[in-house]
Amino acid sequence: MSEAAVHDDHHDHKPTGIGRWLFSTNHKDIGTMYLLFSLLMFFVGGAMAIVIRAELFQPGLQFVNPQFFNSMTTMHALVMIFGAVMPAGVGLANWMIPVMIGAPDMALPRMNNMSFWILPFGFTLLLSTFFMDGGAPAGGWTMYPPLVLQTGNAFPFLIFTVHILGISSIMGAINIIATVFNMRAPGMTFMRLPLFVWTWIITAFLLIAALPVFAGAVTMLLTDQYFGTSFFDAAGGGDPVMFQHLFWFFGHPEVYILILPAFGIVSQIIPTFSRKRLFGYTSMVYATVAIAFLSFFVWAHHMFTVGMPLAGELFFMYATMTIAIPTGVKIFNWVATMWRGSMTFETPMLFSIAFIVLFSVGGFSGVMMSITPVDFQYHDTYFIVAHFHYVLVTGAVFALFAAAYYWLPKWTGHMYDEGLGKLHFWTSAVFVNILFFPQHFLGLAGMPRRIPDYAVQFADWNMVSSLGGFAFGLSQLIFVVVVFKCIRGGDKVTDQVWEGARGLEWTLSSPPPFHSFTVPPKVTEESAHG
Amino acid sequence: MSKPRTSMLRTLFLIVVSFTSMLVVTPAWADWALNLTKGVTPISHQVYDLHMRILWIMVVVAIVVFATMLWSIIHHRKDKGAVAAKFHHSTALELLWTAIPIAILVVIAIPATKTLIAMEKTADADITIKITGYQWKWEYNYMGEDLTFFSVLAADSRAVVDKTSDAKPEDIDNYLLDVDNPVVLPINTKIRILTTAADVIHAWWVPALGWKRDAIPGFINDNWTYIEEPGIYRGQCAELCGKDHGYMPIVVKAVSKAEYQTWLVETKQKIAEASSGADREWTLDELMARGEGVYKTNCAACHQANGEGIPGVFPALVASPIATGAVEDHINIVMNGKAGTAMAAYGAQLNDIDIAAIITYERNAWGNKVGDLVQPMTIQATR
Amino acid sequence: MSDSETYFIPEPSPWPVVGSLALFISFVGGSLFLNGSAPMFGSFILGLGIAAIIYMYYAWFSDVISESLAGRYNSQVDVSFRWGMAWFIFSEVMFFAAFFGALFYARVLSVPWLGGEGAGFLTNAVLWPDFVPEWPIDVIPNFSKFTASVYDDVIHAWGVPAINTLILLTSGVTLTFAHWALKKNNQKGLVRWLFVTVCLGIIFVYFQAGEYHEAYTELNLKMTSGIYGSTFFLLTGFHGFHVTMGTLMLAVIMFRAMKGHFTHENHFAFEAVAWYWHFVDVVWLGLFIFVYWI
Ligand code: HEA
Ligand code: HEA
Ligand code: CUA
Ligand SMILES: [Cu+2]
């Protein structure tokens, strides 16, 4: 029986009905499910953000009690990070990696489906805690003990959510590694891989190395709570700060897990719309590797105020500053790609340009925070909140929007509504800055984060920020309209879609056949990365 | 296509320029609380200078990078007839833009290291204060002075938060930034500050002193300060510590050394007065009156002013089995707390009269009608 | 069969979604049990979930085995499986790394600090003046919560743990013998050596259980015995769990070997389990050295 299943299952002969989605072994269907799920979670997490911003609209308690406010903050972060941004990244990887490396599918298609289907169950587990005695977790997404041990009935649900999502991500990462290492078409050498694929392999390694540590750390929380161990309790010889070390050993690589795929996306888009090859491909690859490697040695910059010995503070300060160097290389390479290109500014390009500018703004505040003695002032204020929303929202989320616009025509075979796309971009880009830029001022002026109510001198900027937040949130509805319209119909697009696009994905029809490459394509230097 | 292009350009320009300019004008707006405070200690000045130096460097880097990009966006556009060049790498350039950031970072790292080392020099302090974070108040212990007291959110702010007053935040002086007992410190004195916590992690932060430090249960962190100007400096808890994390402010009152000495004597006297009378019989009315006040400052944050608690998180005391049951159990839980929960041991925090008053109050308020009263002497006997 | 000109893509399969559901059910059950809101119901649900997981594994692997036996896998699939298994094991390594990290942190940092060394001078002087740092710690810093279970002694390296080390090392060797037998297509030898390996695994778990029994009944060494007991039981416990799983996997492989599922060139399942077993072995060496010995 040497003929492969692919041949039984002829090109557009798709499984039908609900079974197509429940039992899927198809990377595109699974990718689509990932992407839709993450969009849903973006709105769930966004709705929580709106509650936060509404409460902070003016001083005094308006809508929610402080306990519920803390639940909102905690769940907002968990849903956004683990439900929106990570699954969106995995969804894109699922859709694009096989078509970018010339494979028919992911290496382990059944496991791929399990990685996805765990997610809806995992978030059911997490979101159900809202209806429990004691409410949803309210100890912050960082889950520091001893506070997190005061969580009510939700506590084990929180821990197990981490476990189950960890299982999903690790399986996803293993799949990506197996696919890239094993399924490349002949001629697709490593140094010809599109950068999106490169950033994803590195991300996959980060996932496999970081997530189990997080799982281990929360397991210790569980035993401290229910089995009388004292890992995080000085009374028994442990240390609450130990949890922070374990958490951030995971947590810092985690933020690069969120941003590296975004770097990959931007590295695909900028050359396409500059009609010019990516500048410094090799250094891009090395910079990505360097960022990932360094990310395991900087974790304690989140903990400068816990009172580490001087040597520790210095080490983590220097190490953290170092990350600016490879990241700078990336920024400069993008600018150099645009330099003397022949640029047009369709929506994906607009989001990518905004990404470069606004991510850098977040990166600059990151460098400021890496300076230990000054971070003593910044730490746990809105300055931090501003920093990480710049890198997460205008960084990761903007890149995801760029990716969606860039590949939607490929996925659906239809052009999206460029007018609406531009509208979405301009409203988002303007309002997101009204939302987050003033938070720098708030932080510097002394407003702590994670508070439901604040002193009167912080009122003005909070109001501005909230207004920006509402407007930014509403702007996201445009995106839903664009996606919906594009799936329903629109102008037919060519295989290449974009004039400057290069790479294997643009050699397939739009939309691509059900099993992407049933016969491996031959890859040459010319047809390789953009 | 030309309309979106010009509007795009304009807006992009606006974004870049307005944000860099916002950063640039920041120092000029310092009074308007846009920027970090300069503070009132030598360390806080160093930190402020460091902050400004890095901020400026970042602004310059931003301008260079974004301006290059903007230039390219304006000139290298397809509709202007730009034809894409073919180059795609340059080792010299790549080395250059690795080397320049390294140089910049070194320039930042040197003063940063110096400041950090200066901050760690806690030895040779004249006085030492131990600060303990509780959910949700601060305890100040003047070591060697036999002086310990608690400091909680001022009553007028509390009333707004609890919605027991109709006042608006704007009507109150220093809403959320005021306490009942400020911590008083002498100026021009090296003060060593130890931080720790009793339940969960808190962080003690007064921006004007130039640093914050976590208060971690079971561990002591040390730090120091040297205040140069008398005044009142306000801060807040800066580590999420549960429901009322937003409501545990800090107020430092810096006074001359002489005033500090007088204050020490007076405060010690006041505290002694408050706990005198523990050896006499108290009446129900006396205990109820005192109990209400002590309950509000110490217990209401969790069990609520009306005694109804927060379902699932903090139990109601109204009709609770303990508050209406055997008095020994009631005394026991208040004196010793309950390990592993947020209920702390108040035996170590309050004097005998206050504990007797609280327990009496809880047993006879909000419709609890046990009718018994607990005498301070009974509490004394359990110690 | 191993032509890479064509690919193998499995048909749609119900097991992944069944597996996700089973995990969900187990975790709901476990949570209800642990938080005490519905312990009886929770443990019932947990049992149900675990049964569903076992069933899912059985069904999923049955599919894989029959596809493999039908010769539908080419060498590319084989390599994918290898990558998958290898990185799964790496993720397990990192999971143990967290627990070892906790052990080192306690031994090198938190216990000495509480005892007044280095950065902990004030911590000790102000908060725990009576605490003397030692490992294994004798007296736990304080607190009514933990003093109840100060232990009399710990398990020493050169008793049962040393024997267990020998057992595991031997099992690694016997497993290699099984592999050699398989490579020579000596099916009898394969089964025989696998059987010996499984037995060694069972003996190991049996000894470990005896050790726990002794700790709890005679030494008063418990999970609640402060950081020493915490790290001891968590590390050895998770390892013991892995040995148990490994033994089960070996047993399955043994039964499959008896059915003649493996040929000298096509036996990835065997190798995967062997890798896993060696990994468990290596982790034990770490445990023996850092938990029991030094
Ligand atoms: C996508 C996510 C993401 C990314 C990419 C980053 C990137 C960086 N982060 Fe951020 N960070 C977060 C997400 C992220 N962070 C989150 C979520 C938190 C808060 C968690 C919590 O507490 O809840 C946080 C918190 C955080 C802290 C802790 C602050 C505190 O709590 O006190 C610090 C401190 O050092 C820090 C630093 C940095 C640095 C130095 C980078 C660098 O990687 C940035 C590098 C980029 C640039 C520097 C810009 C481009 C470079 C150039 C143009 C070259 C020239 C530049 C120079 C010479 C300087 N981050
Ligand atoms: C990828 C991660 C991610 C993303 C995308 C976001 C997106 C947003 N975040 Fe979030 N945030 C975090 C990660 C993220 N955040 C993290 C890690 C924390 C720290 C948590 C902690 O302290 O533990 C945090 C904390 C945090 C805070 C601080 C809370 C506190 O400290 O008390 C605030 C406050 O403004 C905030 C706001 C927002 C807003 C307004 C958005 C917006 O971008 C959201 C926009 C989206 C929508 C609004 C949804 C779409 C639209 C609708 C649903 C239509 C209806 C809309 C209206 C009616 C207006 N976030
Ligand atoms: Cu105490 Cu926050
Ligand atoms: Cu970080």
Side-chain angles (χ1 to χ4, degrees):
Chain A
M1 235 201 69
S2 65
E3 101 279 32
V6 177
H7 293 264
D8 312 339
D9 202 4
H10 206 71
H11 275 197
D12 277 66
H13 172 90
K14 298 173 189 159
T16 49
I18 182 80
R20 170 174 173 193
W21 305 101
L22 280 178
F23 306 146
S24 177
T25 49
N26 181 279
H27 74 100
K28 297 195 206 66
D29 284 354
I30 295 173
T32 306
M33 290 194 288
Y34 261 113
L35 290 168
L36 292 176
F37 178 78
S38 73
L39 186 61
L40 177 69
M41 284 297 128
F42 178 66
F43 275 75
V44 173
M48 294 175 186
I50 293 305
V51 174
I52 296 175
R53 282 311 337 160
E55 180 56 55
L56 294 175
F57 187 69
Q58 55 184 47
L61 286 174
Q62 265 69 240
F63 305 105
V64 297
N65 66 48
Q67 181 74 19
F68 188 75
F69 181 90
N70 290 345
S71 293
M72 278 291 125
T73 314
T74 306
M75 298 291 271
H76 158 68
L78 292 173
V79 168
M80 281 299 195
I81 290 179
F82 295 100
V85 176
M86 282 170 75
V90 183
L92 291 174
N94 252 301
W95 242 106
M96 301 317 296
I97 287 180
V99 299
M100 284 179 148
I101 64 172
D105 205 299
M106 297 293 280
L108 303 161
R110 278 180 288 227
M111 197 167 86
N112 200 15
N113 197 31
M114 186 152 171
S115 307
F116 170 74
W117 275 107
I118 282 179
L119 290 181
F121 289 115
F123 279 91
T124 310
L125 213 54
L126 184 64
L127 294 172
S128 69
T129 58
F130 274 112
F131 307 102
M132 288 173 194
D133 263 4
W141 82 283
T142 48
M143 301 177 206
Y144 286 0
L147 181 64
V148 74
L149 302 177
Q150 293 179 1
T151 308
N153 279 345
F155 183 77
F157 287 88
L158 173 67
I159 303 298
F160 290 140
T161 301
V162 171
H163 283 145
I164 202 170
L165 296 180
I167 294 172
S168 156
S169 295
I170 288 171
M171 292 197 307
I174 288 175
N175 215 337
I176 286 167
I177 291 177
T179 306
V180 178
F181 277 85
N182 193 33
M183 308 285 282
R184 277 169 293 124
M188 182 55 91
T189 59
F190 270 95
M191 287 322 255
R192 284 179 184 168
L193 285 177
L195 259 163
F196 178 71
V197 180
W198 255 115
T199 52
W200 247 112
I201 330 175
I202 313 243
T203 306
F205 285 121
L206 286 180
L207 279 166
I208 295 182
L211 272 172
V213 176
F214 187 25
V218 297
T219 305
M220 288 183 254
L221 281 181
L222 194 78
T223 61
D224 266 17
Q225 180 83 318
Y226 294 119
F227 301 98
T229 57
S230 48
F231 290 105
F232 308 128
D233 187 341
D239 184 353
V241 173
M242 176 162 83
F243 178 84
Q244 301 184 17
H245 282 287
L246 291 167
F247 180 88
W248 290 114
F249 181 84
F250 146 80
H252 187 82
E254 169 70 17
V255 305
Y256 293 101
I257 288 166
L258 301 172
I259 207 69
L260 289 185
F263 288 165
I265 291 163
V266 172
S267 303
Q268 300 300 128
I269 294 176
I270 297 278
T272 297
F273 296 96
S274 304
R275 292 168 183 73
K276 185 159 157 280
R277 276 179 66 180
L278 182 68
F279 187 89
Y281 175 91
T282 322
S283 62
M284 280 299 213
V285 173
Y286 290 143
T288 314
V289 176
I291 292 172
F293 178 76
L294 287 172
S295 76
F296 283 105
F297 302 93
V298 302
W299 75 85
H301 64 215
H302 296 273
M303 309 162 49
F304 283 144
T305 61
V306 300
M308 280 180 286
L310 179 63
E313 309 249 42
L314 286 174
F315 172 81
F316 286 108
M317 170 168 84
Y318 299 146
T320 304
M321 295 170 83
T322 318
I323 294 204
I325 299 161
T327 315
V329 168
K330 299 202 138 244
I331 303 275
F332 301 138
N333 280 343
W334 289 322
V335 175
T337 307
M338 291 160 68
W339 190 259
R340 295 191 43 214
S342 166
M343 278 186 274
T344 52
F345 301 91
E346 288 85 345
T347 313
M349 183 65 163
L350 292 177
F351 271 109
S352 300
I353 293 175
F355 169 92
I356 299 178
V357 175
L358 299 175
F359 170 80
S360 295
V361 171
F364 294 138
S365 58
V367 173
M368 295 174 73
M369 287 149 41
S370 73
I371 308 303
T372 316
V374 206
D375 184 66
F376 290 157
Q377 288 281 42
Y378 305 145
H379 178 69
D380 258 317
T381 67
Y382 262 79
F383 195 74
I384 310 293
V385 177
H387 157 70
F388 65 70
H389 283 98
Y390 266 86
V391 283
L392 285 169
V393 179
T394 58
V397 174
F398 268 31
L400 291 168
F401 284 143
Y405 284 107
Y406 187 50
W407 284 314
L408 256 178
K410 172 58 58 183
W411 297 336
T412 60
H414 307 134
M415 199 53 177
Y416 60 84
D417 184 329
E418 185 68 50
L420 279 183
K422 286 219 166 74
L423 183 69
H424 176 220
F425 169 74
W426 285 112
T427 50
S428 296
V430 170
F431 293 131
V432 83
N433 284 293
I434 297 176
L435 164 58
F436 292 121
F437 206 85
Q439 296 185 355
H440 290 113
F441 305 143
L442 286 171
L444 293 176
M447 178 169 162
R449 60 191 278 208
R450 297 167 161 172
I451 57 174
D453 190 358
Y454 48 82
V456 178
Q457 74 251 35
F458 305 128
D460 297 346
W461 286 123
N462 266 302
M463 191 176 284
V464 172
S465 173
S466 290
L467 289 173
F470 303 148
F472 178 72
L474 288 175
S475 316
Q476 304 322 309
L477 296 174
I478 305 171
F479 179 66
V480 181
V481 174
V482 175
V483 172
F484 187 70
K485 276 182 65 180
C486 186
I487 294 172
R488 287 279 301 276
D491 299 344
K492 289 262 172 291
V493 292
T494 61
D495 291 358
Q496 201 195 357
V497 183
W498 309 109
E499 187 187 23
R502 293 176 43 177
L504 286 180
E505 77 256 45
W506 309 107
T507 63
L508 286 174
S509 61
S510 305
F514 195 60
H515 290 291
S516 308
F517 285 96
T518 43
V519 177
K522 291 268 182 293
V523 181
T524 61
E525 185 62 39
E526 254 318 285
S527 64
H529 62 80
Chain B
M1 278 302 286
S2 83
K3 247 192 101 212
R5 168 166 54 90
T6 45
S7 76
M8 188 211 85
L9 255 180
R10 201 171 47 236
T11 319
L12 212 130
F13 184 75
L14 271 179
I15 290 178
V16 175
V17 171
S18 64
F19 289 124
T20 40
S21 64
M22 265 176 172
L23 280 168
V24 173
V25 296
T26 303
W29 293 358
D31 297 339
W32 225 53
L34 280 173
N35 197 6
L36 204 60
T37 169
K38 280 202 180 73
V40 290
T41 70
I43 285 291
S44 75
H45 295 150
Q46 280 192 42
V47 167
Y48 176 82
D49 291 344
L50 202 50
H51 159 74
M52 287 317 291
R53 177 196 296 227
I54 309 165
L55 178 60
W56 278 111
I57 293 176
M58 291 303 133
V59 169
V60 171
V61 175
I63 290 174
V64 171
V65 177
F66 300 158
T68 316
M69 214 168 103
L70 197 65
W71 171 273
S72 179
I73 290 173
I74 293 171
H75 295 281
H76 307 144
R77 342 168 38 97
K78 190 179 176 205
D79 52 16
K80 275 205 157 181
V83 180
K86 291 275 174 239
F87 66 88
H88 54 80
H89 81 274
S90 153
T91 312
L93 258 182
E94 286 167 57
L95 282 179
L96 186 72
W97 63 49
T98 312
I100 293 176
I102 293 179
I104 295 175
L105 293 175
V106 171
V107 169
I108 300 175
I110 292 168
T113 308
K114 284 191 190 141
T115 306
L116 191 60
I117 290 173
M119 290 175 121
E120 301 282 324
K121 294 207 168 104
T122 54
D124 318 319
D126 300 315
I127 58 177
T128 302
I129 294 185
K130 183 173 114 213
I131 303 175
T132 310
Y134 289 78
Q135 281 174 320
W136 291 278
K137 61 193 167 205
W138 295 99
E139 180 199 60
Y140 296 99
N141 172 226
Y142 288 69
M143 293 178 90
E145 286 286 352
D146 187 32
L147 173 59
T148 306
F149 59 85
F150 283 90
S151 174
V152 301
L153 180 66
D156 51 357
S157 294
R158 185 85 245 173
V160 174
V161 174
D162 288 346
K163 304 207 154 85
T164 52
S165 130
D166 290 332
K168 293 237 172 321
E170 302 81 50
D171 307 336
I172 290 173
D173 292 336
N174 299 306
Y175 175 63
L176 298 189
L177 293 180
D178 203 7
V179 296
D180 56 352
N181 303 313
V183 52
V184 176
L185 298 175
I187 57 166
N188 295 332
T189 308
K190 182 157 182 179
I191 305 165
R192 186 175 200 174
I193 295 180
L194 312 184
T195 47
T196 184
D199 34 47
V200 302
I201 304 176
H202 305 261
W204 196 81
W205 180 38
V206 176
L209 305 190
W211 49 262
K212 71 170 68 69
R213 190 64 104 220
D214 288 3
I216 296 163
F219 289 83
I220 297 267
N221 273 326
D222 70 330
N223 233 299
W224 67 278
T225 194
Y226 184 96
I227 305 173
E228 292 176 321
E229 286 166 42
I232 293 184
Y233 307 112
R234 296 171 197 278
Q236 280 177 273
C237 175
E239 176 65 52
L240 181 60
C241 54
K243 176 173 120 337
D244 278 4
H245 161 61
Y247 305 109
M248 50 185 293
I250 298 157
V251 177
V252 171
K253 199 169 152 198
V255 297
S256 70
K257 287 185 191 174
E259 280 174 78
Y260 171 70
Q261 288 304 335
T262 341
W263 174 84
L264 272 184
V265 176
E266 281 173 5
T267 313
K268 282 185 202 165
Q269 239 164 30
K270 255 206 293 196
I271 292 177
E273 274 163 27
S275 55
S276 74
D279 41 6
R280 71 174 168 90
E281 292 278 330
W282 287 60
T283 68
L284 183 63
D285 287 345
E286 276 177 320
L287 286 172
M288 286 295 281
R290 180 153 177 163
E292 182 170 6
V294 189
Y295 179 87
K296 279 219 174 103
T297 37
N298 287 286
C299 324
C302 295
H303 299 291
Q304 306 297 300
N306 58 11
E308 286 179 355
I310 296 177
V313 193
F314 306 116
L317 299 179
V318 178
S320 101
I322 292 185
T324 57
V327 73
E328 295 76 40
D329 294 343
H330 197 165
I331 296 178
N332 180 45
I333 194 162
V334 177
M335 292 292 285
N336 303 318
K338 181 147 180 202
T341 74
M343 180 63 202
Y346 285 91
Q349 299 183 26
L350 302 173
N351 64 38
D352 299 340
I353 306 174
D354 288 341
I355 292 191
I358 295 186
I359 295 178
T360 307
Y361 177 73
E362 287 178 350
R363 297 175 79 78
N364 298 291
W366 327 292
N368 282 359
K369 290 208 167 51
V370 187
D372 54 4
L373 83 174
V374 179
Q375 288 295 343
M377 280 178 293
T378 318
I379 302 296
Q380 204 167 30
T382 64
R383 288 201 189 252
Chain C
M1 249 186 293
S2 50
D3 55 343
S4 58
E5 285 300 302
T6 53
Y7 294 103
F8 168 77
I9 305 285
E11 290 80 37
S13 161
W15 308 123
V17 68
V18 169
S20 312
L21 180 67
L23 272 176
F24 174 72
I25 295 174
S26 315
F27 281 148
V28 170
S31 298
L32 294 177
F33 172 72
L34 283 172
N35 69 15
S37 55
M40 291 305 289
F41 180 66
S43 44
F44 170 73
I45 298 281
L46 175 62
L48 202 75
I50 292 176
I53 293 178
I54 294 171
Y55 177 70
M56 177 274 295
Y57 268 123
Y58 174 79
W60 190 329
F61 283 119
S62 298
D63 282 359
V64 172
I65 291 166
S66 59
E67 281 161 9
S68 169
L69 293 179
R72 291 179 58 195
Y73 289 169
N74 54 27
S75 60
Q76 191 171 38
V77 175
D78 191 63
V79 174
S80 289
F81 284 171
R82 278 164 201 277
W83 279 103
M85 189 66 192
W87 289 102
F88 166 67
I89 290 178
F90 179 71
S91 77
E92 290 265 59
V93 170
M94 292 309 292
F95 189 59
F96 273 99
F99 297 142
F100 274 107
L103 175 69
F104 296 143
Y105 187 93
R107 294 186 60 166
V108 180
L109 299 173
S110 71
V111 170
W113 281 345
L114 289 165
E117 283 170 26
F121 173 71
L122 280 165
T123 298
N124 180 261
V126 179
L127 297 176
W128 317 105
D130 301 327
F131 178 66
V132 185
E134 282 174 319
W135 193 268
I137 54 175
D138 229 10
V139 181
I140 290 139
N142 211 318
F143 240 57
S144 46
K145 191 168 154 194
F146 295 107
T147 39
S149 52
V150 172
Y151 45 87
D152 303 324
D153 200 356
V154 298
I155 308 263
H156 294 285
W158 299 109
V160 177
I163 300 177
N164 261 348
T165 309
L166 222 72
I167 291 175
L168 270 197
L169 288 179
T170 314
S171 76
V173 175
T174 56
L175 188 58
T176 305
F177 287 163
H179 198 187
W180 286 349
L182 175 54
K183 278 200 190 140
K184 291 199 204 101
N185 237 343
N186 172 359
Q187 296 285 344
K188 271 234 183 73
L190 167 67
V191 174
R192 202 175 299 133
W193 283 116
L194 272 174
F195 180 73
V196 175
T197 316
V198 171
C199 289
L200 288 171
I202 294 172
I203 296 173
F204 176 94
V205 175
Y206 177 77
F207 278 175
Q208 178 99 38
E211 195 178 284
Y212 277 17
H213 184 74
E214 187 195 341
Y216 263 77
T217 57
E218 284 161 36
L219 306 178
N220 201 26
L221 174 62
K222 302 177 178 166
M223 290 250 258
T224 46
S225 307
I227 190 70
Y228 182 82
S230 308
T231 49
F232 176 81
F233 282 106
L234 209 67
L235 273 160
T236 56
F238 264 91
H239 178 263
F241 174 71
H242 279 76
V243 176
T244 312
M245 298 314 292
T247 309
L248 276 173
M249 284 153 66
L250 281 170
V252 170
I253 290 299
M254 185 176 78
F255 287 118
R256 287 188 59 195
M258 283 152 88
K259 285 193 179 167
H261 278 181
F262 302 117
T263 64
H264 66 284
E265 72 237 341
N266 185 3
H267 53 258
F268 170 68
F270 174 92
E271 281 181 71
V273 174
W275 292 350
Y276 191 79
W277 192 253
H278 290 310
F279 147 71
V280 171
D281 228 8
V282 172
V283 172
W284 173 259
L285 289 182
L287 282 180
F288 181 70
I289 296 170
F290 295 111
V291 175
Y292 292 98
W293 185 8
I294 55 174

